[in-house]
């Protein structure tokens, strides 16, 4: 038995050993009061804040163990004057008001039983989706505002009555209890909340910085605390507020210093949210006598994800005080690391309360695997939650309390272990499920509807004339052949082959035949099985026949003149072959089907652009695609489509096959093998060789009072909340919206648990479980401090992708801008009038990237003007964003630009690049004529070469001695040459391609070439046609705040 080191806490003194008494169980004696707890002394003026009284499970406190906070530490919210700008609240006097929520653990357990089955259906669109993309108005911590020049005069948002001033009525929720085994520092350094600014006020013009605010305003409230792993011991006494940092805060962007600390005596909660900040002065108006005039703001100081550690910059915006026993942020990431405690507060918080989930994400280390053996899976009998680090063992280890619904459960005899005097199981070190937020359980037979099926792959090749002429057929066959030895499943793997044009061809590849047999179905619109067996064969037993069949296909259709490629008939044929086993279908499509079910018609209707009919171009009109996709999902069949059309095709319709079955859609417009062959081969290889889960279902459970309301991603929904995924892999993410079952959440800590049941390629049935603890707060200021603006932006992009399928792009952009304005307006209202002069835009530290990311979203292919992006390209972008992981979304909206002309910053070790130069802001001001820049957006990359570059550089990298103009127009980054310059440049391109879900083609563009137009739209901080520059967009947001 391994013993975990224990600590002694004040409240344990004089109390019986072990856990605090449970409801219905004997506890230590105490004076006869209503809740059996001795009264605590409180000193302070009438109406001042009183600390919450311990109830229920709390042991009696000994004298001197708890000191109530200084009543002057909390203040009442300032009454709002008619102008809507609150004056400073009085110090010390009135209490925070508001009923105290019931303590954790009280209230009847919530029923979490199974839901009635319902017809399978695709994920429901978000209710209040981008109409409300989730919630009510919002607010975060101070960061800085930005303005570049005069605010636009005609871009102001329409005047709308602003949201009501957020109430600061209830006392701030106490910090979550801390696990005893995790050493807790006495103070916490929190990053500063930078703001731009100066003291002047007036009409918007050039922004300028000014001195920081007085020292009396340099404090801020603290973020919510850790969640406690209940299984690890009794909770510590919860404290009001947060400890003051003992370390000086690092400088904010712009050079000023900022600090966080405990709220100072005499300052109200509203005042203390300000902290030290810099504010952006949006004008050069008059200043007070003796004060220096405003100076212009340097745009280089604006917040942006650039530098030597971009991932670190993005991660720095996320709330750091995360429970170490929660699942890794790559598995589950919340839009806000706290949940509003009531529906009313949720309405004030206009941003979505959602979670990004990537259940099989690669975190660089294996997830622990647990086998309960004969004990079976340990789950709550009421809500079916899996045992996790937050459950609490009682009665000497004989029972455990569910952290989600509060139900007490018996511990199976085989799982029983005694607890020590702090309530910790003595075998805790040997139990990963009680120490890790993410584990995998080996599932017993009761979790199997049928025995695990072998990994099954059916390859469907378009053999029409366009597929032959473009080189698609030859490239696809070569790609598949190169991966056959790497397919997962070993001796269990099965393979089938189909080809199609206006007819469908099956292949009998039985091992005892001398050569493969082609079986032709003359009418692709009415497919049937030509024979019941031998259309799926074992890969190892029939490998030679499979290779022979692929070779025959390349030769048999080389001279075809058939231009029809009926993908609908091919998909229905694969359905007949796989209906008893399920599996994955990879379809290589070139021609546009014009006959049979699933036929497509041209939809590139220019007359529909910028009209109310525009959105119809981005959705499938034929119900066949959704209906048949649902049938494929039912039999556990996944469809991956490699769409390589020579001209317009209907991506919005074809992608439904993949969306409904949890598959992947790849788009190669104008495919030509010489140009796109490498990309196709790389993505086929990753698709076939990555870790894959089969026959998967997933459910997300929430704590008492909460529920998952909407589900977004590529899957189908069964029985209201069960996501059905025929296959699941590390490259796909989804997100869920969090809603309310009751008006109030009865606890100060809630939990989210995601459970994915799937079959591995080796035939093991497993349950991957991720558990997260989430603080519940009653103050909107706490939501601002806990906000994750990057995750919020990623979720808003997914909601926008769904929204433009039902409304115009212009309306979707208006909704996004309104959300940014509303959230910053709400935050502005937390300050007294003298703290936010008319010419200052105030950004919370946690939301300083939000305006930039919203602007980037509007400049990308998702929301660009219909005249700039084809319908197919936009439909493909919609599909990709809905399943794109967080890191790829950030890179897609704000690409990374590396200066490669400074070779000294490119680190080369053992022939591979290990470090790249710091990234630059995406503006033309960052580019020099004598430079070379690599721009990477996660899906494609560009190598920009200035006209003043040395000719020797072209010789070293491309091997061009005397290049002609034609040579310079067709430059490509190829194999590495024998010199350091080539090794570093080619190595940099290979470095950004590592472990990416897409293979990035690298286009070489010289300054002044027509191809330079491909790069300019990615310089998102510059003005682009009718869209704002970064500076002007901030001015537009500022004007919208003042006019709402």
């Amino acid at each position: 038995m391994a013993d975990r080191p224990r600590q002694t806490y004040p409240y344990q003194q004089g109390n019986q050993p072990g856990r605090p008494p449970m409801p219905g169980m004997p506890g230590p004696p105490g004076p006869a009061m209503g809740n059996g707890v001795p009264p605590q002394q409180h000193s302070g003026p009438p109406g001042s804040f009183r600390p919450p009284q311990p109830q229920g499970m709390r042991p009696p406190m000994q004298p001197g163990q708890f000191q109530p906070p200084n009543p002057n530490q909390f203040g009442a919210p300032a009454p709002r004057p008619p102008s809507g700008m609150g004056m400073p609240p009085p110090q010390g006097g009135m209490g925070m008001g508001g009923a105290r929520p019931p303590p954790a653990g009280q209230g009847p357990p919530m029923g979490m039983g199974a839901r009635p089955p319902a017809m399978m259906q695709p994920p429901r669109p978000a209710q209040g989706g981008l109409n409300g993309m989730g919630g009510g108005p919002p607010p975060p911590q101070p960061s800085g505002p930005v303005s570049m020049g005069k605010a636009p005069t005609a871009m102001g948002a329409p005047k709308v009555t602003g949201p009501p001033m957020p109430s600061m009525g209830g006392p701030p929720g106490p910090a979550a209890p801390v696990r005893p085994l995790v050493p807790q520092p006495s103070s916490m350094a929190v990053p500063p909340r930078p703001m731009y600014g100066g003291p002047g006020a007036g009409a918007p013009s050039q922004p300028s910085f000014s001195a920081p605010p007085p020292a009396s305003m340099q404090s801020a409230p603290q973020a919510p605390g850790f969640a406690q792993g209940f299984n690890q011991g009794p909770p510590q006494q919860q404290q009001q507020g947060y400890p003051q940092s003992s370390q000086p805060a690092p400088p904010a962007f712009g050079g000023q210093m900022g600090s966080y600390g405990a709220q100072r005596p005499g300052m109200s909660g509203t005042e203390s949210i300000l902290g030290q900040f810099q504010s952006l002065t949006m004008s050069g108006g008059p200043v007070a006598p003796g004060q220096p005039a405003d100076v212009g703001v340097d745009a280089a100081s604006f917040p942006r994800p650039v530098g030597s550690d971009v991932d670190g910059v993005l991660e720095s915006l996320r709330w750091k005080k995360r429970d170490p026993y929660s699942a890794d942020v790559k598995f589950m990431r919340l839009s806000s690391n706290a949940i509003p405690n009531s529906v009313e507060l949720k309405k004030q918080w206009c941003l979505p309360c959602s979670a990004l989930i990537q259940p099989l994400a690669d975190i660089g280390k294996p997830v622990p695997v647990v086998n309960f053996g004969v004990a079976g899976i340990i789950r709550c009998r009421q809500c079916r939650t899996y045992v996790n680090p937050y459950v609490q063992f009682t009665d000497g280890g004989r029972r455990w309390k569910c952290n989600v619904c509060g139900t007490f459960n018996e511990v199976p005899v085989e799982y029983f272990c005694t607890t020590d005097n702090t309530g910790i199981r003595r075998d805790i070190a040997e139990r990963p499920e009680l120490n890790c937020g993410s584990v995998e359980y080996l599932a017993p037979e009761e979790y199997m509807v049928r025995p695990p099926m072998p990994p099954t792959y059916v390859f469907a090749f378009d053999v029409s004339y366009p597929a032959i002429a473009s080189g698609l057929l030859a490239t696809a066959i070569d790609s598949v052949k190169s991966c056959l030895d790497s397919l997962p499943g070993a001796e269990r793997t099965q393979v089938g082959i189909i080809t199609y044009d206006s007819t469908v061809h099956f292949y009998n590849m039985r091992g005892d035949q001398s050569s493969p047999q082609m079986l032709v179905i003359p009418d692709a619109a009415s497919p049937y099985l030509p024979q019941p067996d031998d259309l799926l064969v074992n890969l190892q037993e029939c490998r030679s026949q499979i290779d022979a069949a692929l070779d025959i296909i390349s030769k048999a259709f080389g001279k075809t003149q058939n231009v029809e490629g009926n993908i609908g008939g091919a998909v229905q044929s694969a359905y007949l072959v796989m209906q008893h086993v399920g599996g994955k279908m990879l379809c290589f499509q070139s021609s546009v089907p014009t006959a049979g079910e699933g036929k497509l018609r041209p939809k590139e209707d220019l007359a529909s652009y910028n009209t109310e009919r525009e959105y119809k171009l981005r959705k499938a009109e034929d119900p066949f695609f959704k209906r048949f996709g649902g049938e494929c999902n039912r039999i556990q069949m996944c469809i991956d489509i490699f769409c390589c059309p020579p001209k317009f095709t209907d991506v919005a319709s074809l992608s439904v096959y993949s969306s409904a079955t949890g598959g992947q859609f790849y788009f190669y417009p104008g495919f030509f093998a010489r140009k796109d062959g490498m990309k196709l081969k790389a993505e086929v290889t990753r698709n076939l060789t990555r870790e894959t889960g089969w026959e998967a279902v997933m459910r997300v459970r929430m704590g008492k009072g909460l529920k998952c309301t909407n589900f977004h991603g590529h899957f189908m929904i069964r029985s209201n909340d069960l996501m059905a995924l025929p296959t699941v892999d590390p490259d796909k993410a989804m997100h869920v919206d969090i809603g309310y079952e009751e008006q109030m959440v009865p606890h100060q800590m809630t939990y989210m648990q995601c459970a994915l049941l799937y079959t591995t390629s080796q035939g093991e049935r497993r349950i991957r479980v991720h558990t997260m603890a989430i603080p519940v707060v009653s103050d909107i200021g706490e939501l601002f401090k806990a906000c994750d603006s990057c995750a919020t932006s990623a979720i808003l992009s997914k909601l926008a992708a769904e929204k433009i399928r039902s409304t115009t792009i212009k309306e979707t952009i208006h909704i996004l801008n309104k959300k940014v304005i509303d959230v910053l307006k709400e935050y502005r209202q937390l300050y007294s009038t003298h703290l936010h002069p008319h010419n200052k835009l105030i950004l919370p530290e946690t939301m300083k990237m939000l305006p930039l990311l919203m602007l980037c979203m509007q400049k990308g292919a998702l929301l660009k003007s219909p005249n700039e992006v084809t319908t197919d390209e936009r439909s493909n972008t919609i599909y990709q964003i809905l399943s794109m992981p967080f890191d790829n979304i950030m890179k897609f909206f704000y690409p990374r630009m590396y200066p490669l002309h400074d070779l000294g910053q490119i680190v080369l070790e053992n022939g591979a690049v290990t470090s790249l130069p710091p990234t630059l802001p995406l503006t033309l001001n960052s580019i020099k004529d004598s430079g070379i820049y690599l721009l990477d957006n996660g899906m494609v990359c560009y190598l920009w070469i200035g006209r003043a570059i040395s000719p020797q550089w072209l010789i070293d990298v491309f091997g061009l001695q005397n290049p002609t103009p034609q040579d310079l127009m067709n430059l490509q980054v190829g194999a590495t040459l024998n010199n350091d310059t080539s090794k570093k440049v080619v190595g940099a391109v290979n470095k950004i391609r590592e472990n990416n879900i897409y293979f990035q083609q690298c286009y070489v563009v010289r300054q002044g070439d027509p191809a330079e137009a491909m790069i300019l739209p990615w310089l998102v901080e510059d003005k682009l046609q009718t869209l704002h520059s970064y500076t002007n967009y901030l001015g537009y947001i500022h004007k919208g705040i003042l006019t709402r």
Side-chain angles (χ1 to χ4, degrees):
M1 294 286 183
D3 291 331
R4 173 173 289 192
R6 299 185 292 273
Q7 299 178 4
T8 302
Y9 294 89
Y11 78 85
Q12 294 178 357
Q13 299 172 7
N15 191 15
Q16 62 182 12
R19 299 297 307 211
M22 296 294 140
M25 298 180 64
M33 284 191 60
N35 58 0
V37 178
Q40 299 197 24
Q41 300 299 322
H42 170 68
S43 60
S48 62
F49 173 77
R50 291 178 180 272
Q53 299 298 317
Q55 300 180 21
M57 294 170 56
R58 294 289 181 195
M61 291 192 148
Q62 303 301 321
Q65 287 185 355
F66 177 81
Q67 294 297 330
N70 186 342
N72 292 330
Q73 184 180 0
F74 301 95
R80 183 185 297 179
S83 65
M85 304 292 197
M87 297 299 292
Q91 298 179 1
M94 293 290 292
M96 302 282 288
R100 184 171 67 250
Q106 299 299 312
M110 177 181 62
M112 299 287 290
R115 302 174 184 265
M119 182 178 297
M120 188 183 300
Q121 52 183 329
R124 300 187 297 274
Q127 300 176 0
L130 254 182
N131 296 341
M133 264 179 201
Q141 298 172 354
S143 163
V146 188
S147 165
M148 327 269 262
K150 296 183 179 181
T153 57
M155 300 301 293
K159 292 187 177 182
V160 180
T161 303
M165 182 78 169
S167 170
M168 302 293 292
V178 185
R179 296 177 67 122
L181 296 181
V182 182
Q184 298 304 316
S186 60
S187 61
M188 175 183 64
V190 185
R193 295 168 297 194
M195 297 197 136
Y196 306 89
S205 97
Q206 284 294 339
S208 64
F209 282 109
S210 68
S216 63
M217 301 307 300
Q218 296 182 4
S219 64
Q222 307 300 310
F226 282 111
Q228 180 203 6
F230 288 119
N231 162 49
Q232 308 305 327
Q236 293 182 355
Q237 175 65 42
Q238 298 183 359
Q239 302 292 331
Q240 295 294 338
Y242 303 92
Q244 185 169 355
S245 173
S246 60
Q247 300 293 333
F253 58 82
Q256 299 293 331
M257 292 293 294
S259 66
Y260 281 63
Q263 185 172 313
R264 299 193 177 189
M267 291 184 62
S268 71
T270 302
E271 294 280 347
S272 68
I273 291 182
L274 178 61
Q276 183 168 349
F277 66 94
Q278 297 172 342
S279 59
L280 175 64
T281 303
M282 304 301 292
S283 78
V287 297
Q291 296 294 323
D294 292 341
V295 295
V297 168
D298 181 9
S301 66
F302 293 171
R304 49 175 65 87
V306 296
S308 57
D309 184 16
V310 179
D311 293 328
V313 173
L314 295 176
E315 196 64 17
S316 68
L317 300 178
R318 188 177 60 81
W319 183 48
K320 295 296 189 305
K321 196 170 176 62
R322 181 184 177 92
D323 179 12
Y325 293 91
S326 286
D328 191 277
V329 70
K330 286 186 175 293
F331 291 130
M332 293 198 295
R333 185 165 186 150
L334 293 170
S335 60
S336 177
N337 293 287
I339 297 290
N341 74 332
S342 66
V343 175
E344 194 63 30
L345 183 59
K346 175 66 168 62
K347 291 179 181 177
Q348 281 188 273
W349 182 249
C350 70
L351 296 179
C353 286
S354 304
L356 287 167
I357 301 175
Q358 193 177 353
L360 294 183
D362 182 7
I363 60 172
K365 60 182 180 180
V367 174
V369 179
V370 177
N371 185 0
F372 284 119
V374 294
I377 303 293
I378 310 299
R379 302 179 67 181
C380 175
R381 57 185 171 83
Q382 179 70 23
C383 66
R384 308 303 293 162
T385 295
Y386 294 85
V387 67
N388 59 79
Y390 304 103
V391 303
Q392 183 178 11
F393 287 88
T394 65
D395 195 16
R398 295 179 180 85
R399 295 198 300 166
W400 62 276
K401 181 182 178 183
C402 176
N403 58 297
V404 172
C405 69
T407 301
F408 285 88
N409 299 270
E410 297 295 327
V411 175
V413 175
E414 297 82 2
Y415 191 67
F416 172 78
C417 180
T418 58
T419 58
D420 60 16
N421 60 347
T422 60
I424 302 175
R425 284 176 59 112
R426 298 186 185 278
D427 64 345
I428 189 69
E430 305 167 9
R431 294 293 182 183
E433 69 275 13
L434 302 180
N435 284 289
C436 303
S438 299
V439 294
E440 276 195 350
Y441 299 118
L442 294 181
E445 291 185 2
E446 56 262 31
Y447 288 81
M448 306 177 190
V449 177
R450 60 182 180 181
M453 295 291 105
T456 302
Y457 298 87
V458 170
F459 301 103
F461 301 98
D462 182 353
V463 292
S464 63
Y465 176 78
I468 304 296
S470 65
L472 170 62
L473 180 62
T475 305
I477 289 177
D478 180 63
S479 302
V480 170
K481 288 180 68 175
S482 66
C483 296
L484 289 178
D485 291 330
S486 304
L487 292 180
E491 68 280 356
R492 302 173 66 247
T493 306
Q494 292 185 323
V495 171
I497 295 177
I498 294 174
T499 56
Y500 64 95
D501 42 26
S502 58
T503 60
V504 177
H505 323 107
F506 294 91
Y507 292 83
N508 182 349
M509 299 174 290
R510 201 171 56 203
D512 57 357
Q513 296 181 154
S514 58
S515 62
Q517 231 180 352
M518 180 190 294
L519 308 172
V520 181
I521 306 300
D523 185 5
S526 302
Y528 57 90
L529 288 181
Q531 63 183 43
D533 301 317
D534 301 326
L535 299 180
L536 288 176
V537 297
N538 184 275
L539 174 61
Q540 290 190 358
E541 296 175 358
C542 305
R543 175 59 191 273
S544 60
Q545 295 289 345
I546 294 172
D547 288 339
L550 293 174
D551 293 337
I552 290 174
I553 294 170
S554 300
K555 301 174 182 177
F557 300 96
K559 298 182 179 180
T560 184
Q561 298 297 315
N562 193 332
V563 297
E564 175 69 23
N566 193 330
I567 187 175
V571 172
Q572 293 178 77
S573 299
Y575 173 89
L576 297 175
V577 173
M578 306 169 71
Q579 60 184 339
H580 66 288
V581 69
K584 180 192 285 279
M585 173 190 182
L586 277 74
C587 183
F588 300 88
Q589 168 71 15
S590 179
S591 299
V592 180
T594 58
E597 286 191 294
K599 66 180 180 181
L600 304 177
R601 64 178 183 83
K603 292 174 64 176
E604 195 73 5
D605 183 8
L606 299 180
S608 297
Y609 287 174
N610 297 313
T611 67
E612 295 299 327
R613 306 188 307 274
E614 171 196 314
Y615 74 91
K616 295 182 179 179
L617 301 176
R618 300 185 284 271
K619 60 185 299 186
E621 295 182 354
D622 190 343
F624 166 78
F625 297 99
K626 183 183 294 186
R627 182 179 67 251
F628 192 75
E631 281 298 309
C632 293
N633 186 295
R634 183 184 62 81
I635 67 165
Q636 305 294 341
M637 171 182 168
C638 166
I639 303 175
D640 293 339
I641 297 180
F642 295 81
C643 185
C644 309
K647 57 181 181 179
F648 172 81
T649 188
D650 189 357
V651 170
S653 297
L654 283 179
S655 61
V656 175
Y657 286 132
S658 300
S659 177
T661 60
Q664 187 73 42
F665 187 88
Y666 302 86
F667 185 51
Y668 309 83
F671 180 90
F672 186 63
R674 182 179 177 183
K675 172 176 66 75
D676 303 304
M678 184 183 298
K679 177 177 175 66
L680 176 68
K681 184 172 183 178
E683 292 180 342
V684 169
T685 301
R686 181 174 180 87
N687 183 295
L688 292 175
T689 58
R690 65 191 174 192
E691 177 188 0
T692 301
W694 309 82
E695 301 180 290
V697 291
M698 189 173 80
R699 176 173 277 130
V700 179
R701 295 176 174 88
M702 296 298 303
K704 185 178 295 186
L706 298 171
K707 63 179 180 180
C708 293
T709 55
N710 297 294
F711 306 85
H712 312 265
H714 299 320
F715 46 80
M716 299 291 281
I717 295 293
R718 300 178 187 169
S719 65
N720 299 327
D721 65 345
L722 186 67
M723 290 167 270
L725 304 104
T727 65
V728 60
D729 57 70
D731 295 343
K732 294 187 182 66
M734 61 282 292
H735 86 271
V736 298
D737 296 334
I738 301 173
Y740 292 78
E741 290 184 331
E742 304 168 3
Q743 289 297 311
M744 293 283 294
V745 179
H747 302 289
Q748 295 175 349
M749 184 65 62
T750 190
Y751 302 89
M752 170 183 282
Q753 187 175 89
C754 168
L756 175 73
L757 174 64
Y758 72 101
T759 301
T760 66
S761 296
Q762 289 70 38
E764 285 186 335
R765 196 70 170 157
R766 292 188 178 185
I767 309 167
R768 178 167 290 198
V769 177
H770 304 296
T771 308
M772 174 188 294
I774 313 170
V776 178
V777 299
S778 58
D779 180 11
I780 198 168
E782 300 295 328
L783 290 174
F784 277 105
K785 290 183 291 184
C787 179
D788 185 341
S789 60
C790 294
T792 298
S793 300
I795 289 170
L796 287 175
S797 70
K798 293 174 181 286
L799 293 174
E802 290 186 342
K803 186 66 177 176
I804 61 175
R805 288 174 169 174
S806 58
T807 189
T808 63
I809 293 174
K810 183 177 180 181
E811 175 64 19
T812 304
I813 292 176
H814 171 74
I815 293 173
L816 290 173
N817 288 336
K818 181 178 180 296
K819 285 193 168 292
V820 177
I821 292 171
D822 283 348
V823 72
L824 297 181
K825 175 72 172 180
E826 186 75 16
Y827 186 69
R828 187 182 182 90
Q829 289 177 339
L830 294 179
Y831 295 84
S832 301
T833 305
H834 71 281
L835 298 178
H836 50 71
H838 193 72
N839 64 332
K840 289 186 178 179
L841 172 63
I842 301 174
L843 291 174
E845 169 69 15
T846 55
M847 291 187 175
K848 64 183 182 182
M849 295 290 183
L850 186 62
L852 175 61
L853 294 174
M854 290 298 100
L855 175 64
C856 296
M857 198 183 303
Q858 297 170 29
K859 291 188 173 184
L862 179 66
L863 297 175
K864 268 185 183 178
S865 167
N867 301 318
E868 301 176 51
V869 181
T870 66
T871 300
D872 276 350
E873 182 182 355
R874 195 186 312 276
S875 296
N876 177 62
T877 303
I878 291 172
Y879 183 93
Q880 304 302 334
I881 286 179
L882 285 175
S883 64
M884 194 179 288
F886 170 80
D887 293 338
N888 291 81
I889 290 182
M890 291 296 102
K891 192 185 294 186
F892 181 71
F893 287 124
Y894 195 91
R896 300 178 183 181
M897 185 165 65
Y898 304 93
L900 299 188
H901 47 271
D902 188 357
L903 297 178
Q905 297 191 63
I906 304 177
V907 180
L908 190 67
E909 295 181 1
N910 299 323
V913 170
T914 59
S915 178
L916 293 173
T919 60
L920 300 176
L922 295 176
T923 172
L924 282 172
N925 294 332
S926 301
I927 297 178
K928 302 176 182 178
D929 290 352
S930 59
I932 299 101
Y933 302 90
L934 180 64
L935 190 146
D936 167 33
N937 68 4
M939 300 186 76
V940 67
C941 63
Y942 302 94
L943 186 66
W944 186 90
I945 302 174
R947 59 167 59 96
I949 193 65
S950 166
Q952 184 63 39
W953 193 92
L954 296 176
I955 296 174
D956 290 343
V957 176
F958 301 106
L960 299 176
Q961 294 291 341
N962 296 300
T964 64
Q966 186 65 25
D967 293 333
L968 296 177
M969 291 290 291
N970 295 285
L971 293 175
Q972 290 188 1
V973 177
T976 303
L977 303 181
N978 190 23
N979 61 78
D980 286 344
T981 301
S982 175
K983 291 177 181 178
K984 290 189 174 183
V985 172
V986 177
V989 175
N990 294 332
K991 175 69 175 177
I992 65 174
R993 288 173 174 170
E994 286 181 0
N995 300 320
N996 194 12
I997 62 177
Y998 308 103
F999 180 86
Q1000 297 125 298
Q1001 288 179 290
C1002 186
Y1003 296 98
V1004 180
V1005 178
R1006 299 195 71 225
Q1007 185 178 8
D1009 288 349
E1012 201 173 27
M1014 294 188 299
I1015 292 183
L1016 295 179
W1018 296 107
L1019 302 179
V1020 292
E1021 294 190 27
D1022 292 332
K1023 182 175 176 58
L1024 180 64
Q1025 297 184 4
T1026 59
L1027 297 176
H1028 298 292
S1029 66
Y1030 187 14
T1031 305
N1032 291 340
Y1033 184 71
L1034 290 166
Y1036 165 68
I1037 294 297
H1038 181 63
K1039 183 175 181 180
I1041 292 172
L1042 299 181
T1043 56
R1044 292 193 76 80

